[in-house]
Every structure is written in structure tokens, then in C-alpha cells.
Amino acid sequence: TLDNWRQAHADAAYSAAQELRDLQQTATEQQWPERAKEINEQYETLKTRLWPATSDGAVQAAVRDFIQAEARKHGVEIQRTNLRSIAPPRGSQHSSVRIELQGTYQPLTWQRFIAALEDHRPALIIESERIDRSIPQRPRYQLSITAWYQLPAPREPSNES
């Protein structure tokens, strides 16, 4: 109807005017060098959370080996492991590895294991954790973890003759 069309266009005009006001106010800001420095510092801090990478396979191996070592250290039994690389989102330079673990749940060792994973740098992000107690004598866990990394930029061929 005409009222719906008018309301939709009024909403669009209001949004455009709001965006223009925001841009005008942003243009008058005098603190851009300070903000740029703060953002660069934050970026450097975030880079410490990325796993070092020379290849997808190297990151997969490093993440798998670290998690398995921590599981052994804390007495967590891993009965099944599924590991895969996730393609980077469009326009991103960062990829991720997802590892899914299953095994027998033991309360005290489990909490220590999870704490060790959460405290580790480079970061391991626990996406999901599920404890299945449907069989009380043998509770089971399922854990999904993501590790982010950035592959080095490909080298350009040298033109040395």
C-alpha cells in the first residue's frame, strides 16, 4: 500500500540522515593518530592469540599435539578425535582449525583440562562442551575447540637474473 511505501522510504531517509550526521561528526574528530596507535596495539595483542602457521597441516598437527599432551597431563581420556580446517570467511586472512573430541568424562580431571586449554596462548576457543550423563556409570563428554591462525603471505617471485 501507499502508506507502507511511504513509511519504508521515510525510514530509509532517516537512516541515511543519521549516517550522514555520524560521518560529519567523525570527520571533525582530532584524535585519529591516538586512535590508530591504540588500534595497532590491540591488533598486536590479538595476534598473540593466533597460532603460528607455515601451512594448514602444520597448524592442525600443532593443535592436535598440544591438546593430546594436555589431555595426558591431566588424565583425560580421548577416545575419538575429528580435526578439520575451516576455510577463511570471505575477505579474511585468518583461517581456523576445528577439533572435536569425545571420551569418558571424569569430573576433577575434566575441569583442570578445560582450564589449561582456556588459559593457553595462542588461544584455543571452546565452542561447545557437552557432558552426557544418560549412563551414570559411564558419563561421556563431547568438546568442540577452534584455533585461529594466519598463514604467511605468499612470497612474490624474485626477478633476480
Side-chain angles (χ1 to χ4, degrees):
T1 67
L2 184 58
D3 286 337
N4 291 342
W5 179 87
R6 186 180 317 130
Q7 185 62 46
H9 282 74
D11 290 346
Y14 177 78
S15 294
Q18 183 66 40
E19 185 176 353
L20 176 62
R21 283 191 297 276
D22 290 347
L23 289 173
Q24 287 171 334
Q25 182 174 353
T26 301
T28 63
E29 290 284 334
Q30 301 295 317
Q31 301 160 350
W32 289 116
E34 290 174 30
R35 288 188 177 181
K37 182 180 175 187
E38 289 173 11
I39 288 171
N40 282 333
E41 289 170 358
Q42 291 173 355
Y43 178 67
E44 291 302 317
T45 300
L46 286 174
K47 282 186 357 184
T48 65
R49 297 178 57 97
L50 296 174
W51 282 74
T54 55
S55 70
D56 290 324
V59 173
Q60 285 183 358
V63 169
R64 182 197 61 232
D65 292 349
F66 174 77
I67 290 173
Q68 288 176 342
E70 286 299 306
R72 279 191 302 278
K73 178 179 169 182
H74 294 285
V76 171
E77 180 183 351
I78 298 175
Q79 296 167 338
R80 183 171 175 210
T81 303
N82 182 16
L83 183 73
R84 68 183 193 278
S85 289
I86 308 294
R90 175 174 273 175
S92 175
Q93 304 170 18
H94 302 95
S95 298
S96 63
V97 169
R98 168 125 342 124
I99 186 165
E100 295 171 358
L101 308 171
Q102 294 179 5
T104 304
Y105 172 74
Q106 297 173 345
L108 187 55
T109 59
W110 180 256
Q111 280 76 12
R112 290 180 183 148
F113 174 63
I114 294 296
L117 297 181
E118 288 176 337
D119 290 342
H120 187 262
R121 291 295 176 267
L124 293 166
I125 300 164
I126 297 176
E127 300 286 347
S128 67
E129 172 187 11
R130 183 172 160 253
I131 308 299
D132 180 3
R133 292 185 175 101
S134 61
I135 304 173
Q137 303 88 329
R138 193 165 179 222
R140 313 237 335 124
Y141 71 83
Q142 290 182 332
L143 183 65
S144 179
I145 301 168
T146 300
W148 286 89
Y149 63 96
Q150 179 177 0
L151 290 174
R155 291 188 211 175
E156 294 185 21
S158 63
N159 292 333
E160 296 177 13
S161 320

